[in-house]
Amino acid sequence: MIRLQKEQNTMAENVIIIGSGPAGHTAAIYAARAELKPLMFEGFMAGGVAAGGQLTTTTEIENFPGFPEPVSGPELMVKMRDQALKYGTRIKTETVTRTDLSGDVKKVWVDSEMYEAKAVIIATGATAKRLGIPGEDRYWQRGISACAVCDGALPIFRNKPLVVIGGGDTACEEAMYLSKFGDTVHMLVRRDELRASKAMQARVFANKKIKVWWNTNAVEAVGEQFLTGVKYKNNKTGDDGLITASGLFFAIGHTPNTGFLEGQLPTDETGYLMTRNNSTATDIPGVFACGDVKDKVFRQAVTAAGSGCMAALEAERWLGEQE
Amino acid sequence: MIRLQKEQNTMAENVIIIGSGPAGHTAAIYAARAELKPLMFEGFMAGGVAAGGQLTTTTEIENFPGFPEPVSGPELMVKMRDQALKYGTRIKTETVTRTDLSGDVKKVWVDSEMYEAKAVIIATGATAKRLGIPGEDRYWQRGISACAVCDGALPIFRNKPLVVIGGGDTACEEAMYLSKFGDTVHMLVRRDELRASKAMQARVFANKKIKVWWNTNAVEAVGEQFLTGVKYKNNKTGDDGLITASGLFFAIGHTPNTGFLEGQLPTDETGYLMTRNNSTATDIPGVFACGDVKDKVFRQAVTAAGSGCMAALEAERWLGEQE
């Protein structure tokens, strides 16, 4: 028994999957059905979000195909996780802290504990950006949040004026969502137009609870024990002032979660992993990347899932070629 | 009223979606939610399969993420169709027969009836190949089928010896499926190995009802009113003979459904539509291709769905740029 234990410990896994959003779990489902016995590190609040990834911070999902009735993000991720487990994925609720992808056997660490694998699938997603203004750290989670949909329903925000920063689809979506909970939602937009899709713009403009402030930057978060307001400055006119608000929500984009790779894989100028065309293969043989960590264009649950499937099929093929 | 009718007829659609598999319906869901009011031609037995595409010919799907309990192909496609309809897709159960993609306004015909659109999304999928052996036409649908899963349960095949041609995942899947219905399933494999995934190979080899014939070609279908047997020849030894069989199932690959395009879009050497890297954009601005009609590598429901989403988002962006 002891000997068996030892052999198991020293035997490299076929494939380690890092990340547990739609890309990671779809890769796991496919790898497990291909009898690769994948080992997934789903993360423990990795990148600041729960295992399951960014979808766990969304409420109703209307556009994941196969669900004519909206499904909640957490619910969809539980379904995918159950499916990955059912076909034989082993899941560890730990965050990978470091990797060494240089050898034939790839090494993956969770703190001081090392795991080895022949192939690695990176599906660590991306994390919401912060603004970095004075008061931000002090009022973080005391009125400031990067996820309206996760936090907007909290009592401290109900029937209170709120501020959303950003001009993209996410910002519009978050403003719409927050407008359900009561008072005015102030949307601070750096430019004189929204980057959001027209459909989304139309909805925002039609919502009487949302007030859009054009050419406006948030310059400071103020408060006492909790946030009480946001100082702003108009970047065209120079006008400034204070918006009374109990909540400040950032919706200003994302950073791909690649820190644990310490530059071992090439990225584009914005830090996203690069893969071969129409493929999830990275520059390192046996290492594949899928989902939002390599996609800054589409970023949808179903596109992430599709690329997770590709990663598993490509990893399976690659492993077959190594035998 | 008459005037209104006329105006509607002469106004080009935003986007026409041709095809109704996971790619087409995911494109429709995204395009509809973007308020593009897409018009879909789902086809009427287009490419020989029902609206909904190739998935309508599968039984249980275990690998579409979000469904830990297997879902049937037809059931999944009904869900996607309901979802596309719910958000405003208009669906015509007609097969597009011809297109003219050359102008700013693209033209799409169903026989003599013409429709116009600013953008077109092609999601017509691929169709199972036939073998072209003597007797094939005579016994087509009288014992010969290209879809075990659609036809295998018919009374004429129950408890009868059957033949499957092919060595890939589909062939293995079809052999496994047919083995449920009774007698021996003979699997004729042209080469001395299966192209199928290991998982699938393992299942086939473990199934005592399946007999694999290596290096073996089917050379003729024989019978009376219905098929009674398949003549074979071993391509290594030259041995030949007759396998008594009531069913002959082809599982030898697919042809992309591009005939209606009459060569207006570039294809690769095997006839699949070509798109830009990591994109669904074709060489013609405003024309996008997604799903199996442009993917001969992955061909999965979820990869098709992912590319359908991409096509809709790219079409939406492209339409926005034209205004």
Side-chain angles (χ1 to χ4, degrees):
Chain A
M1 280 305 285
I2 286 164
R3 191 174 147 70
L4 181 68
Q5 188 65 38
K6 195 173 170 196
E7 273 177 1
Q8 283 178 337
N9 281 345
T10 57
M11 206 164 66
E13 304 286 343
N14 290 312
V15 58
I16 283 177
I17 298 167
I18 310 174
S20 55
H25 276 305
T26 305
I29 293 162
Y30 270 83
R33 289 189 75 246
E35 302 195 346
L36 295 179
K37 299 181 176 54
L39 176 63
M40 171 188 280
F41 291 93
E42 67 177 345
F44 179 75
M45 292 306 289
V49 298
Q54 295 176 87
L55 273 197
T56 62
T57 68
T58 18
T59 46
E60 293 195 338
I61 302 170
E62 295 180 340
N63 56 14
F64 195 82
F67 294 86
E69 295 310 316
V71 59
S72 81
E75 196 187 337
L76 180 59
M77 292 322 302
V78 165
K79 284 176 191 287
M80 290 193 191
R81 190 179 192 275
D82 286 349
Q83 198 172 352
L85 284 171
K86 177 173 179 177
Y87 296 110
T89 306
R90 290 159 301 142
I91 299 182
K92 285 184 178 280
T93 310
E94 292 172 334
T95 303
V96 169
T97 49
R98 190 160 64 90
T99 57
D100 179 355
L101 307 174
S102 60
D104 278 352
V105 173
K106 321 300 176 201
K107 292 171 184 164
V108 166
W109 281 268
V110 173
D111 300 320
S112 63
E113 198 162 355
M114 190 188 74
Y115 299 84
E116 295 184 326
K118 296 172 202 161
V120 172
I121 294 175
I122 298 166
T124 45
T127 298
K129 281 183 189 162
R130 296 194 188 185
L131 211 54
I133 54 173
E136 183 175 308
D137 286 343
R138 178 159 180 197
Y139 298 109
W140 189 261
Q141 297 299 337
R142 295 176 172 227
I144 305 183
S145 162
C147 181
V149 182
C150 333
D151 301 330
L154 295 175
I156 58 163
F157 301 129
R158 295 238 172 203
N159 298 308
K160 302 281 168 58
L162 305 171
V163 172
V164 174
I165 315 274
D169 271 322
T170 308
C172 292
E173 211 168 307
E174 302 219 331
M176 294 290 297
Y177 182 76
L178 291 171
S179 72
K180 291 184 206 170
F181 297 107
D183 212 307
T184 303
V185 177
H186 301 273
M187 205 170 157
L188 271 52
V189 182
R190 204 172 25 136
R191 303 194 294 173
D192 60 358
E193 58 175 4
L194 295 173
R195 279 178 299 109
S197 66
K198 281 187 194 154
M200 196 51 99
Q201 294 191 25
R203 284 195 227 170
V204 164
F205 297 146
N207 186 319
K208 286 175 185 164
K209 284 190 180 168
I210 301 176
K211 179 180 175 185
V212 180
W213 298 60
W214 301 112
N215 304 307
T216 302
N217 295 83
V219 293
E220 190 182 342
V222 298
E224 293 166 17
Q225 203 192 337
F226 289 88
L227 183 91
T228 57
V230 178
K231 288 190 180 168
Y232 70 87
K233 185 164 185 174
N234 185 302
N235 59 39
K236 283 267 169 78
T237 63
D239 290 350
D240 56 11
L242 174 75
I243 300 171
T244 299
S246 297
L248 170 58
F249 296 87
F250 294 161
I252 50 171
H254 295 80
T255 308
N257 297 320
T258 57
F260 68 103
L261 294 169
E262 296 166 326
Q264 289 175 83
L265 287 171
T267 63
D268 70 10
E269 68 289 356
T270 53
Y272 285 82
L273 294 184
M274 291 170 76
T275 56
R276 279 185 232 152
N277 287 325
N278 304 317
S279 163
T280 63
T282 69
D283 269 11
I284 300 180
V287 179
F288 305 86
C290 53
D292 283 12
V293 75
K294 70 132 210 165
D295 172 21
K296 63 179 173 185
V297 179
F298 300 106
R299 308 160 168 281
Q300 301 299 301
V302 69
T303 53
S307 78
C309 165
M310 289 167 65
L313 294 175
E314 291 187 293
E316 185 195 4
R317 195 171 308 147
W318 186 85
L319 286 165
E321 288 163 10
Q322 307 311 306
E323 281 168 6
Chain B
M1 280 304 285
I2 286 166
R3 192 174 148 69
L4 181 70
Q5 187 67 37
K6 196 172 171 195
E7 273 176 1
Q8 283 177 338
N9 281 345
T10 56
M11 204 164 67
E13 304 285 343
N14 291 310
V15 57
I16 284 177
I17 298 168
I18 310 175
S20 56
H25 276 305
T26 305
I29 292 163
Y30 270 83
R33 288 189 76 246
E35 302 194 346
L36 295 178
K37 300 180 176 55
L39 177 63
M40 172 189 279
F41 292 93
E42 67 177 347
F44 180 76
M45 292 306 288
V49 297
Q54 294 177 87
L55 274 197
T56 62
T57 69
T58 18
T59 46
E60 293 194 340
I61 302 170
E62 296 180 339
N63 55 15
F64 194 82
F67 294 87
E69 296 308 316
V71 59
S72 82
E75 196 187 335
L76 180 59
M77 292 321 303
V78 166
K79 284 177 191 287
M80 289 192 192
R81 190 180 192 274
D82 285 349
Q83 199 171 351
L85 284 171
K86 178 174 179 175
Y87 296 110
T89 307
R90 292 159 300 143
I91 300 182
K92 287 185 177 278
T93 310
E94 292 173 333
T95 304
V96 169
T97 48
R98 189 160 65 90
T99 58
D100 178 354
L101 306 175
S102 60
D104 278 351
V105 172
K106 321 299 176 202
K107 294 172 184 167
V108 166
W109 282 268
V110 173
D111 300 322
S112 62
E113 197 161 357
M114 188 187 75
Y115 300 84
E116 294 183 326
K118 297 171 200 160
V120 172
I121 294 175
I122 299 166
T124 44
T127 299
K129 280 184 188 162
R130 296 193 188 188
L131 211 55
I133 54 173
E136 184 175 304
D137 286 343
R138 180 159 177 197
Y139 298 110
W140 190 260
Q141 297 299 335
R142 294 172 173 231
I144 305 183
S145 162
C147 180
V149 181
C150 332
D151 301 331
L154 296 174
I156 58 162
F157 300 129
R158 296 240 171 201
N159 298 308
K160 301 282 169 54
L162 304 171
V163 172
V164 173
I165 314 274
D169 270 323
T170 307
C172 290
E173 209 168 309
E174 303 220 330
M176 295 289 298
Y177 182 77
L178 292 171
S179 72
K180 292 184 205 170
F181 297 108
D183 212 307
T184 303
V185 177
H186 301 274
M187 204 170 158
L188 272 52
V189 182
R190 203 171 28 133
R191 303 194 294 172
D192 60 359
E193 58 175 5
L194 296 173
R195 278 178 299 110
S197 67
K198 282 183 195 160
M200 198 50 101
Q201 294 192 25
R203 284 194 226 171
V204 163
F205 296 146
N207 186 320
K208 287 176 183 163
K209 283 189 178 168
I210 301 176
K211 180 181 173 183
V212 180
W213 298 59
W214 302 111
N215 304 306
T216 302
N217 294 82
V219 293
E220 191 181 340
V222 298
E224 294 168 13
Q225 202 192 337
F226 289 87
L227 182 91
T228 57
V230 178
K231 287 190 180 169
Y232 68 88
K233 185 164 186 175
N234 185 302
N235 57 39
K236 282 270 167 74
T237 64
D239 290 350
D240 57 10
L242 176 75
I243 300 170
T244 299
S246 297
L248 169 59
F249 296 87
F250 294 161
I252 50 170
H254 296 81
T255 307
N257 296 321
T258 57
F260 68 102
L261 294 170
E262 296 167 326
Q264 289 176 83
L265 287 171
T267 63
D268 70 10
E269 68 287 358
T270 53
Y272 285 82
L273 294 185
M274 291 169 78
T275 56
R276 280 185 230 151
N277 286 325
N278 304 317
S279 163
T280 63
T282 68
D283 269 10
I284 300 181
V287 180
F288 305 86
C290 53
D292 283 12
V293 75
K294 71 131 209 167
D295 173 20
K296 62 178 172 184
V297 178
F298 300 106
R299 309 160 167 282
Q300 301 299 301
V302 70
T303 53
S307 78
C309 165
M310 289 167 64
L313 293 176
E314 291 186 291
E316 185 195 4
R317 196 169 312 148
W318 185 84
L319 286 165
E321 289 163 9
Q322 308 311 305
E323 281 167 8

